Each structure stands twice: as structure tokens, then as C-alpha cells.
Amino acid sequence: MILTKTAIREAVEAGDITIDPFDPELLNPNSYNYRLGHTLKALTSSPADPRREPETTTLVLPPEGYVLRPGVVYLGNTVERIGSNERVSSLIGRSSVGRLGCFLQISADLGQLGAEHCWTLEITVVQPLRVYPGMRIGQVSFWHPTGDRMPYQGHYGRISDPAPWAPSPLPGAVAHPALTGQEVAA
């Protein structure tokens, strides 16, 4: 069950949901508009490899904005600390930004119970797009979970800076001896 504008406001006031800073003007009928922080990390690893440390370039967004380029994955963060031990958050892009060719939260829109921080945003664009620090870029909705509640204890649950992947072996992956360390041609 998704929370409405009134329920989100009441949950924030009761301390069941954290949105800090909270501005009632950013409430929608069943979500809250979050804003883009002041820092981006552009992923520069080529190819990107989940088993290796990512290479990134840190960009501080100037007041006049910064133009995102197609073909680059940018990691930003929310201005707001968002989270809850009682509600599951889901972060998506705003349709107004999507209409400009911006994809936000490419594959990881679902938050976890107990994670409370400035969320890392996965951003890519299909055409050059200027973004600004503090702009409304996405929305978060909150859902009522059913069943046993188990708070998230993982790596990303408290990180507030834009965070690239943490290298780790892929679960269930088995390295093929003939392909180890080599690229596979399609």
C-alpha cells in the first residue's frame, strides 16, 4: 500500500519517515520530490567491471549548472536524507526530467527498511542535458511492508556521498579458465 501526501507528512511529523530537510511544498499526491545534490561522479572505467575498483571523476556542480553527456553514467545524490524503519522507499525520476531524456535510478529504485541517508542516484541521458544543484530531479514514494521486517544492514545503507559499486565476486559466477582476464567478442 502506497502512502499519500497526507500520510507522508504525518509519518515525517511522527518520526516514522526521515526526509531532512523536509519542505511540505515538495509533496505530491503520493510522493515527495527530492533534489539533486552538489556533487556528481562520472564513471570513467572502460569497460566497467563489477570485479574491479571503479574509476570515477568527481564533479562539483556550479550554480550555472553542468551539461551531462550521453554515454556516461553519472552518480549523484539527494540533498535530503531519506529513510525509514517502518516504510519501504522507492526512488524514481520525475516525468518532467524524463521528458528531457534523463533516466534516473536506472535499475535500483527500491530502498530498504532501515537505510537512512542521502541516496546515490544513477543518472544517464540520451541527449546533452544541463542539470543544476538543488533542482527537483526525482520523487520518492513510501510503501507499507507486510510480513517480518528485517532492516537493511548492507554496505550502502549509510553512505551519503555518490557511491559507485563495491568490487566483489559475482554470486554464482564461475570463471571460465580460457576467458579469465580476456574480453569476449560478441
Side-chain angles (χ1 to χ4, degrees):
M1 195 167 24
I2 192 168
L3 273 61
T4 65
K5 173 181 186 173
T6 304
I8 293 170
R9 181 194 311 253
E10 290 170 354
V12 168
E13 290 169 355
D16 290 338
I17 290 176
T18 298
I19 301 176
D20 184 28
F22 178 75
D23 180 351
E25 294 296 316
L26 297 178
L27 282 165
N28 295 318
N30 59 3
S31 65
Y32 182 88
N33 289 323
Y34 60 80
R35 296 166 295 152
L36 180 62
H38 292 81
T39 304
L40 293 176
K41 288 187 179 180
L43 297 178
T44 57
S45 302
S46 182
D49 185 340
R51 293 184 182 185
R52 301 189 191 284
E53 282 291 326
E55 296 172 15
T56 63
T57 300
T58 300
L59 310 163
V60 177
L61 298 177
E64 63 274 11
Y66 179 82
V67 177
L68 304 181
R69 298 180 325 271
V72 178
V73 174
Y74 297 91
L75 301 174
N77 64 334
T78 61
V79 167
E80 297 83 3
R81 276 184 39 256
I82 301 170
S84 176
N85 288 321
E86 303 297 321
R87 311 286 183 220
V88 176
S89 57
S90 178
L91 286 78
I92 61 172
R94 294 185 67 204
S95 63
S96 58
V97 178
R99 290 181 185 111
L100 295 170
C102 180
F103 289 89
L104 197 65
Q105 296 315 91
I106 301 165
S107 67
D109 67 321
L110 185 63
Q112 303 291 335
L113 285 174
E116 182 181 300
H117 53 106
C118 297
W119 292 80
T120 293
L121 305 173
E122 305 154 0
I123 307 166
T124 191
V125 296
V126 297
Q127 64 183 4
L129 174 65
R130 185 176 300 276
V131 295
Y132 299 89
M135 72 181 279
R136 296 178 189 186
I137 196 162
Q139 53 194 334
V140 58
S141 57
F142 296 92
W143 299 78
H144 181 76
T146 59
D148 295 335
R149 295 181 184 183
M150 299 176 359
Y152 179 71
Q153 300 296 320
H155 174 76
Y156 299 103
R158 302 277 181 247
I159 297 173
S160 286
D161 292 326
W165 68 86
S168 62
L170 298 175
V174 177
H176 188 283
L179 301 177
T180 304
Q182 298 177 9
E183 291 186 35
V184 178

